[in-house]
Coordinates of all heavy atoms in Angstrom, one line a residue:
M1 N 30.2 21.6 22.8 CA 28.7 21.3 22.5 C 28.4 21.5 21.1 O 28.9 22.5 20.4 CB 27.9 22.3 23.4 CG 28.0 22.0 24.9 SD 27.1 20.5 25.2 CE 25.6 21.0 26.0
A2 N 27.5 20.7 20.6 CA 27.1 20.9 19.3 C 25.5 20.9 19.2 O 24.9 20.2 20.0 CB 27.7 19.7 18.4
I3 N 24.9 21.5 18.3 CA 23.5 21.5 18.1 C 23.2 20.5 16.9 O 23.8 20.6 16.0 CB 23.0 22.8 17.6 CG1 23.4 23.9 18.7 CG2 21.5 22.8 17.4 CD1 22.6 23.9 19.9
V4 N 22.4 19.5 17.3 CA 22.1 18.5 16.3 C 20.6 18.3 16.2 O 19.8 18.6 17.2 CB 22.7 17.1 16.8 CG1 24.3 17.1 16.6 CG2 22.2 16.6 18.2
N5 N 20.1 17.8 15.1 CA 18.8 17.6 14.9 C 18.5 16.2 15.2 O 18.8 15.2 14.5 CB 18.4 17.9 13.4 CG 16.9 17.7 13.0 OD1 16.2 17.4 14.0 ND2 16.6 17.8 11.9
A6 N 17.9 15.9 16.3 CA 17.6 14.6 16.9 C 16.7 13.8 15.8 O 16.7 12.6 15.7 CB 16.9 14.6 18.2
M7 N 15.8 14.6 15.1 CA 14.9 13.9 14.1 C 15.7 13.2 13.1 O 15.2 12.0 12.6 CB 14.1 15.0 13.5 CG 13.0 14.5 12.7 SD 11.8 13.5 13.8 CE 10.7 14.8 14.4
E8 N 16.9 13.6 12.8 CA 17.7 12.8 11.8 C 18.0 11.5 12.2 O 18.0 10.6 11.5 CB 19.1 13.6 11.6 CG 19.0 14.8 10.7 CD 20.3 15.4 10.5 OE1 21.3 14.8 10.5 OE2 20.4 16.7 10.3
K9 N 18.4 11.4 13.6 CA 18.8 10.0 14.1 C 17.4 9.1 14.2 O 17.5 7.9 13.9 CB 19.3 10.3 15.6 CG 19.9 9.0 16.1 CD 21.2 8.6 15.4 CE 21.5 7.2 15.7 NZ 22.7 6.8 14.8
I10 N 16.3 9.8 14.5 CA 15.1 9.0 14.7 C 14.8 8.5 13.3 O 14.4 7.3 13.1 CB 14.0 9.9 15.2 CG1 14.3 10.4 16.6 CG2 12.6 9.2 15.2 CD1 13.5 11.4 17.2
V11 N 14.9 9.4 12.3 CA 14.5 8.9 10.9 C 15.4 7.8 10.4 O 15.0 6.9 9.8 CB 14.5 10.2 9.9 CG1 14.5 9.7 8.6 CG2 13.2 11.0 10.2
E12 N 16.6 7.9 10.8 CA 17.7 7.0 10.4 C 17.3 5.6 11.0 O 17.2 4.6 10.2 CB 19.1 7.4 10.9 CG 20.2 6.7 10.2 CD 21.5 7.2 10.8 OE1 21.7 8.4 10.8 OE2 22.3 6.3 11.3
I13 N 17.0 5.6 12.2 CA 16.6 4.4 13.0 C 15.4 3.8 12.3 O 15.2 2.5 12.0 CB 16.5 4.5 14.4 CG1 17.9 5.0 15.0 CG2 16.0 3.3 15.1 CD1 17.7 5.5 16.4
K14 N 14.3 4.5 12.2 CA 13.1 4.1 11.6 C 13.2 3.6 10.2 O 12.6 2.6 9.8 CB 12.0 5.3 11.6 CG 11.5 5.7 12.9 CD 10.3 4.8 13.3 CE 9.9 5.2 14.7 NZ 9.0 4.1 15.1
T15 N 14.0 4.3 9.3 CA 14.2 3.8 8.0 C 14.8 2.4 8.0 O 14.4 1.6 7.2 CB 15.1 4.8 7.3 OG1 14.6 6.1 7.3 CG2 15.3 4.5 5.8
E16 N 15.9 2.2 8.8 CA 16.5 1.0 8.8 C 15.5 -0.2 9.3 O 15.5 -1.3 8.7 CB 17.6 0.9 9.8 CG 18.9 1.6 9.0 CD 20.0 1.9 10.0 OE1 20.1 1.4 11.1 OE2 20.9 2.6 9.6
E17 N 14.7 0.2 10.2 CA 13.8 -0.8 10.8 C 12.7 -1.1 9.7 O 12.5 -2.4 9.6 CB 13.0 0.0 11.9 CG 12.6 -0.8 13.1 CD 12.0 0.1 14.3 OE1 12.8 0.6 15.0 OE2 10.8 0.2 14.2
F18 N 12.1 -0.2 9.1 CA 11.1 -0.5 8.1 C 11.7 -1.2 6.9 O 11.0 -2.2 6.3 CB 10.5 0.9 7.6 CG 9.4 1.4 8.5 CD1 9.4 2.8 8.9 CD2 8.5 0.6 9.1 CE1 8.6 3.4 9.7 CE2 7.6 1.2 10.0 CZ 7.6 2.5 10.3
L19 N 12.8 -0.9 6.4 CA 13.5 -1.4 5.2 C 13.7 -2.9 5.4 O 13.9 -3.7 4.4 CB 14.7 -0.7 4.8 CG 14.4 0.6 4.1 CD1 15.7 1.3 3.7 CD2 13.6 0.4 2.8
E20 N 13.9 -3.4 6.7 CA 14.2 -4.8 6.9 C 13.0 -5.7 6.3 O 13.2 -6.8 5.9 CB 14.3 -5.0 8.4 CG 15.6 -4.8 8.9 CD 15.8 -5.1 10.4 OE1 15.0 -5.9 11.0 OE2 16.7 -4.5 11.1
N21 N 11.8 -5.1 6.4 CA 10.6 -5.9 5.9 C 10.1 -5.4 4.6 O 9.0 -5.8 4.2 CB 9.5 -5.8 7.0 CG 10.0 -6.3 8.3 OD1 10.6 -7.3 8.4 ND2 9.9 -5.5 9.4
I22 N 10.8 -4.5 3.8 CA 10.2 -4.0 2.6 C 11.2 -4.2 1.5 O 12.4 -4.1 1.6 CB 10.0 -2.5 2.8 CG1 8.9 -2.2 3.8 CG2 9.6 -1.9 1.4 CD1 8.7 -0.7 4.2
D23 N 10.7 -4.7 0.4 CA 11.5 -5.0 -0.8 C 11.7 -3.6 -1.6 O 11.0 -3.2 -2.4 CB 10.8 -5.9 -1.7 CG 11.6 -6.2 -2.9 OD1 12.8 -6.2 -2.8 OD2 11.0 -6.6 -3.9
C24 N 12.8 -2.9 -1.1 CA 13.1 -1.6 -1.7 C 14.6 -1.6 -1.8 O 15.3 -2.2 -1.0 CB 12.5 -0.5 -0.8 SG 13.0 1.2 -1.2
C25 N 15.1 -0.8 -2.8 CA 16.5 -0.7 -3.0 C 17.1 -0.1 -1.7 O 16.6 0.9 -1.1 CB 16.8 0.2 -4.3 SG 18.6 0.5 -4.4
K26 N 18.2 -0.6 -1.3 CA 18.9 -0.1 -0.1 C 20.3 0.5 -0.4 O 21.0 0.5 0.5 CB 18.9 -1.2 0.9 CG 17.6 -1.7 1.4 CD 17.6 -3.0 2.2 CE 16.3 -3.5 2.6 NZ 15.4 -4.1 1.5
C27 N 20.4 0.9 -1.6 CA 21.8 1.6 -1.9 C 21.8 2.9 -1.2 O 20.8 3.5 -0.6 CB 22.0 1.7 -3.4 SG 21.0 3.1 -4.1
E28 N 23.1 3.4 -1.1 CA 23.4 4.7 -0.3 C 22.5 5.8 -0.8 O 21.9 6.6 -0.1 CB 24.8 5.0 -0.4 CG 25.3 5.8 0.8 CD 26.9 5.9 0.7 OE1 27.5 5.0 0.4 OE2 27.2 7.1 0.9
Q29 N 22.4 5.8 -2.2 CA 21.6 7.0 -2.9 C 20.1 6.9 -2.4 O 19.5 8.0 -2.0 CB 21.8 6.9 -4.4 CG 21.0 7.9 -5.1 CD 21.6 9.3 -5.1 OE1 22.8 9.5 -5.5 NE2 21.1 10.2 -4.4
C30 N 19.6 5.7 -2.5 CA 18.1 5.5 -2.1 C 17.9 5.9 -0.6 O 17.0 6.5 -0.2 CB 17.6 4.2 -2.5 SG 17.5 4.0 -4.3
L31 N 18.8 5.4 0.2 CA 18.8 5.6 1.6 C 18.7 7.0 2.0 O 17.9 7.6 2.7 CB 19.9 4.9 2.4 CG 19.7 3.3 2.6 CD1 20.9 2.8 3.4 CD2 18.5 3.0 3.3
E32 N 19.6 7.8 1.3 CA 19.7 9.2 1.5 C 18.4 10.0 1.0 O 17.9 10.8 1.7 CB 20.9 9.8 0.8 CG 22.2 9.6 1.6 CD 23.3 10.4 1.2 OE1 23.1 11.3 0.2 OE2 24.4 10.3 1.8
N33 N 17.9 9.4 -0.1 CA 16.7 10.1 -0.5 C 15.5 9.9 0.4 O 14.7 10.8 0.6 CB 16.4 9.5 -2.0 CG 17.2 10.2 -3.1 OD1 17.8 11.1 -2.9 ND2 17.3 9.4 -4.2
I34 N 15.4 8.7 0.9 CA 14.4 8.4 1.8 C 14.4 9.3 3.0 O 13.5 10.0 3.4 CB 14.3 6.9 2.3 CG1 14.1 6.0 1.1 CG2 13.5 6.6 3.4 CD1 14.4 4.5 1.4
K35 N 15.6 9.4 3.6 CA 15.8 10.3 4.8 C 15.5 11.7 4.5 O 14.9 12.4 5.4 CB 17.2 10.1 5.3 CG 17.4 8.7 6.0 CD 18.9 8.6 6.4 CE 19.3 7.1 6.6 NZ 20.7 6.9 6.6
C36 N 15.9 12.2 3.3 CA 15.7 13.5 3.0 C 14.2 13.9 2.8 O 13.7 14.8 3.3 CB 16.3 14.0 1.6 SG 18.1 14.3 1.7
I37 N 13.5 13.0 2.1 CA 12.1 13.2 1.9 C 11.3 13.1 3.3 O 10.4 14.1 3.5 CB 11.5 12.1 0.9 CG1 12.1 12.3 -0.4 CG2 9.9 12.2 0.9 CD1 11.9 11.1 -1.4
A38 N 11.6 12.2 4.1 CA 11.0 12.1 5.4 C 11.3 13.3 6.2 O 10.4 13.9 6.9 CB 11.5 10.8 6.1
L39 N 12.5 13.8 6.3 CA 12.9 14.9 7.1 C 12.3 16.2 6.7 O 11.9 17.1 7.5 CB 14.4 15.1 7.1 CG 15.3 14.0 8.1 CD1 16.7 14.0 7.9 CD2 14.9 14.4 9.5
N40 N 12.1 16.3 5.4 CA 11.5 17.5 4.8 C 10.0 17.6 5.2 O 9.5 18.7 5.2 CB 11.6 17.6 3.3 CG 12.9 18.0 2.8 OD1 13.6 18.8 3.6 ND2 13.3 17.6 1.7
N41 N 9.5 16.5 5.7 CA 8.1 16.4 6.1 C 7.8 16.4 7.5 O 6.7 16.2 8.0 CB 7.3 15.3 5.4 CG 7.1 15.5 3.9 OD1 6.5 16.4 3.5 ND2 7.7 14.6 3.1
L42 N 9.0 16.6 8.3 CA 8.9 16.4 9.7 C 9.6 17.7 10.4 O 10.4 18.2 9.8 CB 9.6 15.1 10.2 CG 9.0 13.9 9.9 CD1 10.0 12.7 10.1 CD2 7.8 13.6 10.8
P43 N 9.0 18.1 11.5 CA 9.7 19.2 12.3 C 11.0 18.9 12.8 O 11.2 17.7 13.1 CB 8.7 19.5 13.4 CG 8.0 18.2 13.7 CD 7.9 17.4 12.3
A44 N 11.9 19.7 12.7 CA 13.3 19.5 13.2 C 13.2 19.5 14.8 O 12.4 20.2 15.4 CB 14.3 20.6 12.8
K45 N 14.0 18.6 15.4 CA 14.0 18.6 16.8 C 15.5 18.8 17.3 O 16.3 18.0 17.3 CB 13.6 17.3 17.4 CG 12.1 17.1 17.2 CD 11.5 16.5 18.5 CE 10.0 16.2 18.4 NZ 9.1 17.4 18.4
Y46 N 15.8 20.1 17.5 CA 17.2 20.4 17.8 C 17.4 20.2 19.3 O 16.7 20.5 20.1 CB 17.6 21.8 17.4 CG 17.6 22.0 16.0 CD1 16.6 22.7 15.3 CD2 18.6 21.5 15.2 CE1 16.6 22.8 13.9 CE2 18.7 21.6 13.8 CZ 17.6 22.3 13.2 OH 17.7 22.4 11.8
V47 N 18.6 19.5 19.6 CA 19.1 19.4 21.0 C 20.6 19.7 21.0 O 21.3 19.6 20.0 CB 18.8 17.9 21.4 CG1 17.4 17.6 21.6 CG2 19.5 16.9 20.4
S48 N 21.0 20.1 22.1 CA 22.4 20.3 22.3 C 23.1 18.9 22.8 O 22.5 18.4 23.7 CB 22.7 21.4 23.2 OG 22.3 21.2 24.5
S49 N 24.1 18.6 22.2 CA 24.7 17.3 22.5 C 26.2 17.5 22.6 O 26.8 17.9 21.6 CB 24.2 16.2 21.7 OG 25.0 15.1 21.7
S50 N 26.9 17.0 23.6 CA 28.3 17.0 23.6 C 28.9 15.7 23.1 O 30.0 15.5 22.7 CB 28.8 17.3 25.0 OG 28.3 16.4 25.9
K51 N 28.1 14.6 23.1 CA 28.6 13.3 22.7 C 27.5 12.7 21.7 O 26.4 12.8 21.8 CB 28.6 12.4 23.9 CG 29.7 12.7 24.8 CD 29.7 11.7 26.0 CE 30.7 12.1 27.1 NZ 30.5 11.3 28.3
G52 N 28.2 11.9 20.7 CA 27.4 11.3 19.8 C 26.5 10.2 20.4 O 25.4 9.9 19.9
E53 N 27.0 9.6 21.5 CA 26.3 8.6 22.2 C 25.0 9.1 22.8 O 23.9 8.5 22.7 CB 27.2 8.1 23.3 CG 26.8 6.8 23.9 CD 27.6 6.4 25.2 OE1 28.8 6.8 25.1 OE2 27.1 5.8 26.0
L54 N 25.0 10.3 23.4 CA 23.9 10.8 23.9 C 22.8 11.1 22.8 O 21.7 10.8 23.0 CB 24.2 12.3 24.5 CG 23.1 13.1 25.1 CD1 22.5 12.3 26.4 CD2 23.5 14.5 25.4
F55 N 23.3 11.6 21.7 CA 22.5 11.8 20.6 C 21.7 10.5 20.1 O 20.5 10.5 20.0 CB 23.4 12.3 19.4 CG 22.7 12.7 18.1 CD1 21.5 13.3 18.0 CD2 23.3 12.3 16.9 CE1 20.9 13.5 16.8 CE2 22.7 12.6 15.7 CZ 21.5 13.2 15.6
S56 N 22.4 9.5 20.1 CA 21.9 8.1 19.7 C 20.9 7.8 20.6 O 19.8 7.2 20.2 CB 23.0 7.2 19.6 OG 22.6 6.0 19.0
R57 N 21.2 7.8 21.9 CA 20.3 7.4 23.0 C 19.0 8.2 23.0 O 17.9 7.7 23.2 CB 21.0 7.5 24.4 CG 20.5 6.5 25.3 CD 21.4 6.4 26.6 NE 21.7 7.7 27.2 CZ 22.8 8.1 27.7 NH1 23.8 7.3 27.7 NH2 22.9 9.3 28.3
L58 N 19.1 9.5 22.7 CA 18.0 10.4 22.7 C 17.0 10.0 21.6 O 15.7 10.0 21.7 CB 18.4 11.8 22.3 CG 17.4 12.9 22.6 CD1 17.3 13.3 24.0 CD2 17.8 14.1 21.8
G59 N 17.6 9.5 20.4 CA 16.8 9.0 19.3 C 16.0 7.8 19.8 O 14.7 7.9 19.5
Q60 N 16.6 6.9 20.5 CA 15.9 5.8 20.9 C 14.8 6.1 21.9 O 13.7 5.5 21.9 CB 16.9 4.8 21.7 CG 18.0 4.3 20.8 CD 17.5 3.1 19.9 OE1 16.3 2.8 19.9 NE2 18.4 2.6 19.1
I61 N 14.9 7.0 22.8 CA 14.0 7.5 23.8 C 12.9 8.1 23.1 O 11.7 7.8 23.3 CB 14.6 8.5 24.8 CG1 15.6 7.7 25.7 CG2 13.5 9.1 25.6 CD1 16.6 8.7 26.5
M62 N 13.1 8.9 22.0 CA 12.1 9.7 21.4 C 11.2 8.7 20.5 O 10.1 8.9 20.3 CB 12.6 10.8 20.6 CG 13.2 11.9 21.5 SD 13.9 13.3 20.6 CE 12.5 14.1 20.0
I63 N 11.8 7.7 20.0 CA 11.1 6.7 19.2 C 10.0 6.0 20.0 O 8.9 5.8 19.5 CB 12.0 5.7 18.7 CG1 12.7 6.2 17.4 CG2 11.4 4.4 18.4 CD1 13.8 5.3 17.0
K64 N 10.2 5.9 21.4 CA 9.2 5.3 22.2 C 8.0 6.2 22.5 O 7.0 5.8 23.0 CB 9.8 4.8 23.5 CG 10.8 3.6 23.3 CD 11.4 3.2 24.5 CE 12.5 2.2 24.3 NZ 13.6 2.2 25.2
Q65 N 8.2 7.4 22.3 CA 7.1 8.4 22.5 C 6.2 8.4 21.3 O 6.2 7.5 20.5 CB 7.7 9.7 22.9 CG 8.4 9.8 24.2 CD 9.1 11.0 24.5 OE1 9.2 11.9 23.7 NE2 9.8 11.1 25.5
N66 N 5.4 9.5 21.1 CA 4.4 9.6 20.0 C 5.1 9.7 18.7 O 5.4 10.8 18.4 CB 3.5 10.6 20.4 CG 2.3 10.7 19.3 OD1 2.2 9.7 18.6 ND2 1.6 11.8 19.3
T67 N 5.2 8.6 17.9 CA 5.9 8.7 16.7 C 5.1 8.3 15.5 O 5.7 7.9 14.5 CB 7.2 7.9 16.8 OG1 6.7 6.5 17.0 CG2 8.1 8.2 17.8
V68 N 3.8 8.3 15.6 CA 3.0 7.9 14.4 C 3.3 8.8 13.3 O 3.4 8.3 12.1 CB 1.5 8.0 14.8 CG1 0.6 7.7 13.7 CG2 1.1 7.0 16.0
D69 N 3.4 10.2 13.5 CA 3.7 11.0 12.4 C 5.0 10.6 11.7 O 5.2 10.8 10.5 CB 3.9 12.5 12.9 CG 2.4 13.0 13.3 OD1 1.5 12.4 13.1 OD2 2.5 14.2 13.8
I70 N 6.0 10.3 12.5 CA 7.3 9.9 12.0 C 7.2 8.6 11.2 O 7.8 8.5 10.1 CB 8.3 9.7 13.1 CG1 8.5 11.1 13.9 CG2 9.7 9.3 12.5 CD1 9.3 10.9 15.2
D71 N 6.4 7.7 11.7 CA 6.2 6.4 11.0 C 5.6 6.6 9.6 O 6.0 6.1 8.5 CB 5.2 5.5 11.7 CG 5.8 4.8 12.9 OD1 7.0 5.1 13.2 OD2 5.2 4.1 13.7
V72 N 4.6 7.6 9.5 CA 4.0 7.8 8.3 C 4.9 8.5 7.4 O 4.9 8.2 6.1 CB 2.6 8.8 8.6 CG1 2.1 9.3 7.3 CG2 1.6 7.9 9.4
A73 N 5.6 9.4 7.8 CA 6.5 10.2 6.9 C 7.7 9.3 6.4 O 7.9 9.4 5.2 CB 7.3 11.4 7.7
V74 N 8.1 8.5 7.2 CA 9.1 7.5 6.7 C 8.6 6.5 5.8 O 9.2 6.2 4.7 CB 9.8 6.7 7.8 CG1 10.8 5.7 7.3 CG2 10.6 7.7 8.8
M75 N 7.4 5.9 6.0 CA 6.8 5.1 5.0 C 6.4 5.7 3.7 O 6.7 5.1 2.7 CB 5.3 4.6 5.7 CG 5.6 3.3 6.7 SD 6.4 1.9 6.0 CE 5.5 1.5 4.7
N76 N 5.9 6.9 3.8 CA 5.7 7.7 2.5 C 7.0 7.8 1.7 O 7.0 7.6 0.6 CB 5.1 9.0 2.9 CG 3.5 8.9 3.2 OD1 2.9 7.9 2.9 ND2 3.1 9.9 3.9
A77 N 8.0 8.2 2.4 CA 9.3 8.4 1.8 C 9.8 7.1 1.1 O 10.3 7.2 -0.1 CB 10.4 9.0 2.8
I78 N 9.7 6.0 1.8 CA 10.1 4.7 1.2 C 9.3 4.4 0.0 O 9.8 3.9 -1.0 CB 10.0 3.6 2.3 CG1 11.0 3.8 3.4 CG2 10.1 2.2 1.6 CD1 10.9 2.9 4.6
N79 N 8.0 4.7 0.0 CA 7.2 4.4 -1.1 C 7.5 5.2 -2.3 O 7.6 4.7 -3.4 CB 5.6 4.5 -0.8 CG 5.1 3.4 0.1 OD1 5.6 2.3 0.0 ND2 4.2 3.7 0.9
I80 N 7.8 6.5 -2.0 CA 8.2 7.3 -3.1 C 9.5 6.9 -3.8 O 9.6 6.7 -5.0 CB 8.4 8.8 -2.6 CG1 7.0 9.4 -2.2 CG2 9.0 9.7 -3.7 CD1 7.1 10.7 -1.4
V81 N 10.5 6.6 -3.0 CA 11.8 6.2 -3.5 C 11.8 4.7 -4.2 O 12.4 4.5 -5.2 CB 12.9 6.2 -2.4 CG1 14.2 5.4 -2.9 CG2 13.2 7.6 -1.9
K82 N 10.8 3.9 -3.6 CA 10.6 2.5 -4.2 C 10.1 2.7 -5.6 O 10.4 2.0 -6.5 CB 9.6 1.8 -3.2 CG 9.7 0.3 -3.6 CD 8.6 -0.4 -2.6 CE 8.3 -1.8 -3.1 NZ 7.3 -2.4 -2.2
E83 N 9.1 3.5 -5.8 CA 8.4 3.7 -7.0 C 9.4 4.4 -8.0 O 9.3 4.2 -9.3 CB 7.1 4.4 -6.9 CG 6.1 3.8 -6.1 CD 5.6 2.4 -6.7 OE1 5.5 2.3 -7.9 OE2 5.5 1.4 -5.8
H84 N 10.0 5.4 -7.5 CA 10.9 6.3 -8.3 C 12.3 6.4 -7.8 O 12.7 7.6 -7.4 CB 10.3 7.7 -8.5 CG 8.9 7.7 -8.9 ND1 8.5 7.5 -10.3 CD2 7.7 7.9 -8.3 CE1 7.2 7.5 -10.4 NE2 6.6 7.8 -9.1
P85 N 13.0 5.4 -8.0 CA 14.5 5.4 -7.5 C 15.2 6.4 -8.3 O 15.1 6.4 -9.5 CB 15.0 3.9 -7.6 CG 14.0 3.3 -8.5 CD 12.7 4.0 -8.5
R86 N 16.1 7.1 -7.7 CA 17.0 8.1 -8.4 C 18.4 7.7 -8.6 O 19.2 8.5 -9.0 CB 16.9 9.5 -7.7 CG 15.5 10.1 -7.7 CD 15.6 11.5 -7.6 NE 14.4 12.1 -7.1 CZ 14.4 13.0 -6.1 NH1 15.5 13.4 -5.6 NH2 13.3 13.5 -5.7
H87 N 18.7 6.4 -8.3 CA 20.1 5.9 -8.4 C 20.4 5.8 -9.8 O 19.6 5.6 -10.7 CB 20.3 4.7 -7.5 CG 19.4 3.6 -7.8 ND1 18.9 2.7 -6.9 CD2 18.7 3.3 -9.0 CE1 18.0 2.0 -7.4 NE2 17.8 2.2 -8.7
N88 N 21.7 5.8 -10.2 CA 22.1 5.6 -11.6 C 22.5 4.0 -11.6 O 23.2 3.5 -10.8 CB 23.4 6.4 -11.9 CG 23.2 7.8 -11.7 OD1 22.2 8.3 -12.1 ND2 24.1 8.4 -10.9
K89 N 21.9 3.4 -12.7 CA 22.2 2.0 -12.9 C 22.9 1.8 -14.2 O 22.6 2.5 -15.2 CB 20.8 1.3 -12.8 CG 20.5 0.9 -11.3 CD 19.6 -0.4 -11.4 CE 19.5 -0.8 -9.9 NZ 18.4 -1.8 -9.8
Ligands
ZN1 ZN1 19.1 2.6 -5.0

């Protein structure tokens, strides 16, 4: 059994979803920055999980619940990284 933060998975899914329609850099560094900023503004949701698959499904289920706060946090994070990308060019 492992303890995982389900919020990480939710933020990952949300970030990918939003970025499909947003003109923002999608390099690894920027994606990580977006997830870090969003996660720092959201409460952790720890769950015990023996399988990665369960972890993934849990993320999907939680997304269908009240996720306005998560949407806002991810959108803010994307805007911050979009305006101030930290990647090396
Ligand atoms: Zn980038």
Side-chain angles (χ1 to χ4, degrees):
M1 288 292 252
I3 305 285
V4 294
N5 181 3
M7 193 60 89
E8 281 182 29
K9 191 69 198 173
I10 297 168
V11 165
E12 198 180 308
I13 295 167
K14 286 275 176 194
T15 301
E16 282 168 17
E17 216 175 271
F18 282 134
L19 282 179
E20 276 179 27
N21 304 308
I22 296 172
D23 179 28
C24 175
C25 177
K26 296 167 179 73
C27 78
E28 208 173 315
Q29 178 76 64
C30 288
L31 285 178
E32 279 196 2
N33 284 341
I34 291 167
K35 288 175 203 167
C36 282
I37 295 166
L39 283 168
N40 280 335
N41 288 302
L42 289 164
K45 287 221 185 287
Y46 290 107
V47 293
S48 65
S49 167
S50 52
K51 287 179 186 172
E53 196 187 325
L54 176 71
F55 179 40
S56 189
R57 213 166 52 218
L58 193 82
Q60 295 285 0
I61 292 164
M62 290 177 79
I63 278 171
K64 288 178 188 148
Q65 293 172 359
N66 186 12
T67 59
V68 177
D69 289 352
I70 302 171
D71 287 359
V72 170
V74 173
M75 277 307 300
N76 284 341
I78 289 172
N79 283 329
I80 290 168
V81 172
K82 193 181 167 186
E83 297 300 321
H84 304 284
R86 293 211 203 126
H87 51 217
N88 303 312
K89 276 202 168 165

